[in-house]
Amino acid sequence: MVSSDLKIGVYFSANDVVYDWAIAFLNSFRQFNPDLRLILIPFNDRCERLLQLKEEYNFEVYIDPSFDRLEAIGQAFELGHTPTGPYWFRRYAAFWGPCDRFMYLDVRQVILSDLTPLIMALDRFNFDFLHYDCALDQVYEPGEFRQQLLRQGKGRGFNSGRWAARKELFSIEEFEKLAADALKIREQLNPRNTDQAFINYCCDLKPIVCGHFAEVMGNTCQNGWARQPGHVYHQDGKYYLWDYGGIDHKKQVILIHWAGYKWENFFPQKFLLLSFFTKDRNYLASISIYVKLIVVSLPKLLITILISQRKINSFYHLQKPQAR
């Protein structure tokens, strides 16, 4: 039985650097979730433009004294690849925020569904934590620790940009203790994806019940990355994936994310992203955005296609200056 007294909501993290991404995210979120509580965890102090959107998109701002302690954890894991990496750890303050059941989302994605059923699936199916895309190499390096997890039926390697959980599943004190243990095997964790490796480690080491949204709920795409095979189509107010012969053929698309992509580049499903970015803009303003995309991005796209060829790509990387 799911209690009607539960406070549910969605946290997201962003700043002015990803302002355009945030506009597309917020437009898509409110289209499918007009009344769902939405709470911003500021990525850092550079949020002046973003905060001006509070009333338009009806979101709150969550500031917590634990941000400094979470950033300290992030700094301890940083190997110099991602200068802003420690700020990514602020998202984990959601575990002691105002929502009893919640979902966390990065803004480099668009939301294509009502998210309440995903959040309530925690209680409906008796899970502590539900995640989305999985890529084990993006979390753990090959080695003994990874092998131990796999032998125990753990080590899913889920993405840290979209997940749901129960409040107080972790505390800041518990995170600090787990971090101290994880740092002892830092070489067996992904060197770049610091916050992703950390939350996976925490979920793998603590005896909690984890699951994948698609596996738990059914009729849902396993992955949300824009580069996945197939074609996203709209039907009866919902989005689905057409990938004839694929495991997710005709299943519902909950979200599409562009982790690893830059806004100014041309990338898969960009026209879908722009449809939400230009939502409610006048016709001429929208057309100018699409024209600029074609003029600026098409040459880059052709170059990308060219250098992606195996022999050309190998030569290209041989000529690049090596990091010292």
Side-chain angles (χ1 to χ4, degrees):
M1 179 69 69
V2 178
S3 172
S4 60
D5 296 329
L6 286 176
K7 298 176 183 177
I8 71 167
V10 171
Y11 298 93
F12 73 105
S13 178
N15 66 2
D16 290 346
V17 176
V18 291
Y19 184 84
D20 289 345
W21 290 99
I23 292 292
F25 166 80
L26 290 166
N27 280 332
S28 67
F29 181 89
R30 282 301 177 212
Q31 178 171 322
F32 291 94
N33 301 270
D35 302 313
L36 184 58
R37 189 176 185 182
L38 182 62
I39 304 171
L40 168 67
I41 297 177
F43 184 76
N44 56 18
D45 295 334
R46 302 176 61 184
C47 295
E48 184 177 349
R49 291 181 68 199
L50 190 63
L51 292 176
Q52 294 175 13
L53 302 174
K54 280 177 58 179
E55 292 187 7
E56 181 179 354
Y57 293 102
N58 187 27
F59 64 81
E60 307 165 38
V61 180
Y62 175 42
I63 305 292
D64 194 89
S66 66
F67 284 172
D68 288 344
R69 294 169 72 177
L70 288 167
E71 289 170 29
I73 294 174
Q75 188 60 54
F77 279 85
E78 184 55 53
L79 299 178
H81 297 295
T82 48
T84 58
Y87 296 123
W88 296 348
F89 283 71
R90 285 188 176 194
R91 68 188 63 184
Y92 301 129
F95 283 106
W96 46 89
C99 297
D100 299 314
R101 305 288 184 271
F102 63 90
M103 193 166 184
Y104 170 80
L105 297 168
D106 285 344
V107 296
R108 292 192 182 193
Q109 57 191 321
V110 292
I111 308 305
L112 305 175
S113 172
D114 176 8
L115 298 180
T116 299
L118 279 73
I119 299 171
M120 299 313 297
L122 292 162
D123 285 76
R124 182 183 174 194
F125 299 105
N126 199 25
F127 279 81
D128 298 312
F129 189 100
L130 290 170
H131 57 76
Y132 215 63
D133 309 57
C134 295
L136 190 57
D137 285 339
Q138 297 297 312
V139 173
Y140 297 116
E141 296 288 283
E144 179 59 29
F145 181 73
R146 172 167 153 173
Q147 293 169 15
Q148 289 177 4
L149 291 177
L150 293 173
R151 285 194 291 267
Q152 296 168 17
K154 300 180 179 180
R156 298 297 298 276
F158 59 82
N159 186 282
S160 62
R162 49 213 57 85
W163 43 272
R166 299 173 181 269
K167 182 177 182 177
E168 298 179 348
L169 185 62
F170 295 101
S171 66
I172 182 62
E173 292 79 16
E174 192 170 15
F175 273 149
E176 289 171 335
K177 183 180 184 304
L178 286 163
D181 293 337
L183 286 168
K184 297 174 184 177
I185 57 161
R186 180 65 183 90
E187 73 284 355
Q188 297 195 58
L189 307 178
N190 186 282
R192 291 180 177 271
N193 303 327
T194 52
D195 72 297
Q196 189 160 284
F198 175 70
I199 193 62
N200 271 268
Y201 178 91
C202 292
C203 289
D204 284 331
L205 268 290
K206 184 172 182 175
I208 61 177
V209 183
C210 293
H212 190 301
F213 283 118
E215 295 171 356
V216 170
M217 300 181 66
N219 197 37
T220 301
C221 287
Q222 296 277 332
N223 299 300
W225 197 35
R227 200 171 176 176
Q228 66 180 311
H231 170 71
V232 177
Y233 66 97
H234 187 253
Q235 180 177 301
D236 300 327
K238 296 182 180 181
Y239 286 84
Y240 300 91
L241 183 70
W242 186 272
D243 183 26
Y244 192 80
I247 60 173
D248 285 336
H249 180 55
K250 298 179 73 173
K251 290 184 179 180
Q252 187 175 0
V253 180
I254 301 299
L255 53 85
I256 296 286
H257 70 91
W258 290 269
Y261 286 105
K262 295 181 179 180
W263 178 270
E264 62 270 18
N265 293 340
F266 191 90
F267 42 70
Q269 307 288 355
K270 181 144 191 183
F271 287 108
L272 177 62
L273 174 67
L274 289 179
S275 71
F276 287 104
F277 177 66
T278 60
K279 187 176 182 289
D280 298 329
R281 292 174 184 256
N282 65 56
Y283 179 76
L284 289 177
S286 298
I287 289 297
S288 68
I289 290 172
Y290 285 98
V291 170
K292 182 179 179 181
L293 168 67
I294 294 171
V295 172
V296 174
S297 298
L298 188 57
K300 293 182 180 180
L301 175 62
L302 294 175
I303 293 172
T304 300
I305 293 173
L306 181 64
I307 66 174
S308 66
Q309 304 305 308
R310 183 174 64 87
K311 292 183 178 179
I312 296 176
N313 188 255
S314 298
F315 177 78
Y316 168 76
H317 285 286
L318 284 173
Q319 301 307 308
K320 286 179 64 176
Q322 299 299 311
R324 297 183 183 276

